[in-house]
Amino acid sequence: MSAMARAATTSDAFNAIAEPQRRDILALLRGGEWPVTDLAQELGLSLPGTSKHLRVLREVGLARVRGAGQQRLYGLDARGLRPVHEWAGGFEQFWNESFDRLDVYVRELRNR
Protein backbone atom coordinates (compact mmCIF):
# COMPACT_ATOMS: atom_id res chain seq x y z
CA MET A 1 0.00 0.00 0.00
CA SER A 2 1.44 3.36 -0.95
CA ALA A 3 1.76 6.26 1.46
CA MET A 4 -0.72 8.16 -0.71
CA ALA A 5 -3.38 5.47 -0.33
CA ARG A 6 -2.83 5.35 3.44
CA ALA A 7 -3.07 9.13 3.69
CA ALA A 8 -6.40 9.08 1.86
CA THR A 9 -7.75 6.47 4.25
CA THR A 10 -6.78 8.37 7.35
CA SER A 11 -7.16 11.96 6.18
CA ASP A 12 -10.67 12.60 7.48
CA ALA A 13 -13.72 11.09 9.13
CA PHE A 14 -15.49 10.53 5.79
CA ASN A 15 -12.76 8.25 4.49
CA ALA A 16 -12.35 6.53 7.85
CA ILE A 17 -16.04 5.61 8.14
CA ALA A 18 -16.22 4.47 4.52
CA GLU A 19 -14.77 1.15 5.76
CA PRO A 20 -17.60 -1.09 7.11
CA GLN A 21 -15.51 -2.67 9.86
CA ARG A 22 -14.62 0.76 11.23
CA ARG A 23 -18.33 1.67 11.25
CA ASP A 24 -18.96 -1.56 13.20
CA ILE A 25 -16.27 -0.58 15.71
CA LEU A 26 -17.80 2.89 16.12
CA ALA A 27 -21.23 1.36 16.67
CA LEU A 28 -19.82 -0.75 19.52
CA LEU A 29 -17.90 2.19 20.99
CA ARG A 30 -21.12 4.18 21.04
CA GLY A 31 -22.20 1.93 23.91
CA GLY A 32 -19.07 2.50 25.99
CA GLU A 33 -15.38 1.71 26.22
CA TRP A 34 -13.91 -1.58 24.96
CA PRO A 35 -10.51 -3.27 25.17
CA VAL A 36 -9.11 -4.10 21.74
CA THR A 37 -9.21 -7.86 22.42
CA ASP A 38 -12.95 -7.74 23.17
CA LEU A 39 -13.63 -5.62 20.07
CA ALA A 40 -11.72 -8.09 17.88
CA GLN A 41 -13.58 -11.05 19.37
CA GLU A 42 -17.00 -9.38 19.11
CA LEU A 43 -16.48 -8.48 15.45
CA GLY A 44 -14.64 -11.66 14.45
CA LEU A 45 -11.56 -9.67 13.38
CA SER A 46 -7.88 -10.34 13.95
CA LEU A 47 -6.20 -8.44 16.77
CA PRO A 48 -3.74 -6.69 14.39
CA GLY A 49 -6.59 -5.76 12.02
CA THR A 50 -8.67 -4.34 14.85
CA SER A 51 -5.68 -2.39 16.16
CA LYS A 52 -5.09 -0.93 12.70
CA HIS A 53 -8.73 0.17 12.42
CA LEU A 54 -8.56 1.73 15.88
CA ARG A 55 -5.39 3.61 14.92
CA VAL A 56 -7.17 5.07 11.88
CA LEU A 57 -10.16 6.06 14.00
CA ARG A 58 -7.87 7.73 16.55
CA GLU A 59 -5.91 9.59 13.86
CA VAL A 60 -9.06 11.21 12.49
CA GLY A 61 -10.44 12.01 15.94
CA LEU A 62 -13.25 9.43 16.09
CA ALA A 63 -11.83 7.29 18.89
CA ARG A 64 -9.81 7.87 22.02
CA VAL A 65 -7.79 5.53 24.18
CA ARG A 66 -7.00 5.55 27.89
CA GLY A 67 -4.99 3.30 30.10
CA ALA A 68 -6.84 1.40 32.81
CA GLY A 69 -4.39 -0.76 34.74
CA GLN A 70 -2.91 -3.22 32.27
CA GLN A 71 -5.61 -2.54 29.66
CA ARG A 72 -6.05 0.14 27.06
CA LEU A 73 -9.70 1.05 26.69
CA TYR A 74 -11.02 2.53 23.46
CA GLY A 75 -13.97 4.88 23.40
CA LEU A 76 -15.93 6.96 20.94
CA ASP A 77 -14.95 10.58 20.40
CA ALA A 78 -18.14 11.78 18.73
CA ARG A 79 -16.74 15.28 18.18
CA GLY A 80 -14.88 13.83 15.20
CA LEU A 81 -18.22 13.02 13.58
CA ARG A 82 -19.28 16.68 13.48
CA PRO A 83 -18.24 17.22 9.82
CA VAL A 84 -20.17 14.09 8.80
CA HIS A 85 -23.20 15.17 10.81
CA GLU A 86 -23.13 18.68 9.34
CA TRP A 87 -22.77 17.36 5.80
CA ALA A 88 -25.57 14.81 6.18
CA GLY A 89 -27.74 17.41 7.88
CA GLY A 90 -27.65 19.40 4.66
CA PHE A 91 -29.88 16.73 3.13
CA GLU A 92 -32.52 16.97 5.86
CA GLN A 93 -34.56 19.57 3.99
CA PHE A 94 -34.48 17.41 0.84
CA TRP A 95 -35.74 14.35 2.74
CA ASN A 96 -38.39 16.33 4.62
CA GLU A 97 -39.70 17.76 1.34
CA SER A 98 -39.64 14.31 -0.26
CA PHE A 99 -41.63 12.81 2.62
CA ASP A 100 -44.07 15.72 2.51
CA ARG A 101 -44.66 15.07 -1.21
CA LEU A 102 -45.12 11.37 -0.49
CA ASP A 103 -47.67 12.22 2.22
CA VAL A 104 -49.65 14.35 -0.23
CA TYR A 105 -49.53 11.59 -2.84
CA VAL A 106 -50.74 8.93 -0.37
CA ARG A 107 -53.60 11.17 0.77
CA GLU A 108 -54.59 11.75 -2.87
CA LEU A 109 -54.61 7.98 -3.49
CA ARG A 110 -56.82 7.40 -0.45
CA ASN A 111 -59.30 10.05 -1.60
CA ARG A 112 -59.81 8.49 -5.02
Side-chain angles (χ1 to χ4, degrees):
M1 178 180 271
S2 73
M4 184 69 130
R6 183 174 180 278
T9 301
T10 61
S11 63
D12 64 27
F14 292 94
N15 286 320
I17 65 171
E19 212 293 321
Q21 291 173 331
R22 288 197 279 269
R23 290 194 305 271
D24 292 343
I25 290 170
L26 289 174
L28 290 175
L29 296 181
R30 191 171 48 203
E33 293 180 321
W34 286 71
V36 65
T37 51
D38 292 359
L39 282 170
Q41 185 175 358
E42 180 73 17
L43 296 171
L45 301 174
S46 70
L47 199 54
T50 305
S51 293
K52 184 177 176 182
H53 287 312
L54 286 166
R55 185 180 71 242
V56 170
L57 292 171
R58 283 195 338 267
E59 287 175 357
V60 299
L62 295 175
R64 56 181 161 59
V65 63
R66 72 176 180 90
Q70 299 282 24
Q71 283 189 320
R72 291 166 48 106
L73 297 177
Y74 291 85
L76 178 66
D77 190 345
R79 294 173 299 180
L81 288 171
R82 183 178 302 274
V84 176
H85 175 73
E86 289 172 353
W87 179 82
F91 293 93
E92 187 174 357
Q93 182 177 353
F94 167 79
W95 285 111
N96 286 340
E97 290 170 358
S98 296
F99 288 129
D100 289 346
R101 285 192 304 274
L102 182 59
D103 259 0
V104 169
Y105 177 69
V106 169
R107 274 189 251 124
E108 288 172 357
L109 285 178
R110 284 185 187 153
N111 292 334
R112 284 187 183 172

